[in-house]
Amino acid sequence: MTISQGGWSGRHPIRRSRKKSYHRRAFLRRRNFTDLLVGVQMAGVAAENVIVPESVLKKQKRAEEWALANAKELDEAKKKRALTRKLIVKKAKEYAGEYEKQERELIELKRQARLKGGFYVSPEPKLVFIIRIRGINAMHPRTKKILQLLRLRQIFNGVFLKVNKATLNMLHKVEPYVTYGYPNLKSVKELIYKRGYGKVNKQRIALTENSIVEQVLGKFGIICMEDLIHEIVTVGPHFKEANNFLWPFQLKAPLGGLKKKRNHYVEGGDAGNREDYINELIRRMN
């Protein structure tokens, strides 16, 4: 501080220096802003006189062409999806009518047989569902190989199989290690919709949309889940391709447990053929 003759002066040297620095900063800000405006104006004038290279023009034109092509592809894909959805709905209605007609015919045949004093014998089933219920302890190598051919590599794995002489002979050899029967439409639907996985490029992919089915089986006319279910239930001409597309079902342990795995089903156990009662076991394991 400075001391005057009458005492302390009213001016503080530090405050005076702060005031000077504040004004200095304000002056610099104004000058920088002015320089910026002048630079922008000069850049605008220069931009008007700049010649764009031909390579840049070609690149812009190519980008515009690609954008138009992509927009066209998206529009075509949208139209195709709409048509596919309509076709899928139409097929689902046809299949539902077909299943209902078959059920009514079966009921009518049973009624006619009962009225005549006889009974109706159902035709031989064409589809069987197999579930592995035992591990590998004390297993013969041939039995192990048959289970591998059936794609039953783990306990509680399940697969669909077409009924013929060869498959029945294989089932007879592995009967102590599996249980099997004849699934109905409801069981097939529940298995595929809830635990269905497909084989896409050797990978296990969940069947969450119809496009996954169409990608692999579209060449066989199977474009949606309803097509896949219909092909499995009816054991159609492309059953082999559809069944190989489906990954083996990984079921949970049955609710309430198993009775006795080492005994046959007719002896109070669980192994072997249980015919239509396989549907009850599928409910407990799905």
Side-chain angles (χ1 to χ4, degrees), residues 169-189:
N169 288 338
M170 292 171 70
L171 284 175
H172 181 68
K173 292 183 181 297
V174 298
E175 206 167 52
Y177 297 89
V178 300
T179 184
Y180 59 95
Y182 314 125
N184 55 24
L185 175 62
K186 182 181 179 183
S187 297
V188 175
K189 276 191 174 182

Side-chain angles (χ1 to χ4, degrees), residues 33-77:
F33 182 69
T34 305
D35 293 344
L36 180 63
L37 287 177
V38 173
V40 169
Q41 292 173 358
M42 293 178 66
V45 172
E48 294 176 358
N49 301 325
V50 169
I51 299 174
V52 181
E54 187 178 355
S55 60
V56 175
L57 293 175
K58 286 183 177 180
K59 186 176 180 181
Q60 291 175 352
K61 185 179 180 181
R62 189 167 61 246
E64 291 174 0
E65 291 175 354
W66 286 352
L68 288 173
N70 288 336
K72 187 177 180 181
E73 287 180 4
L74 289 173
D75 190 39
E76 290 177 355

Side-chain angles (χ1 to χ4, degrees), residues 120-150:
Y120 175 75
V121 179
S122 300
E124 287 291 326
K126 297 182 289 183
L127 180 69
V128 66
F129 186 71
I130 316 164
I131 303 173
R132 180 170 176 174
I133 59 173
R134 286 179 62 183
I136 61 172
N137 286 349
M139 183 185 292
H140 193 276
R142 184 183 301 165
T143 306
K144 186 176 181 181
K145 183 63 176 177
I146 293 173
L147 289 173
Q148 288 178 359
L149 292 173
L150 294 174

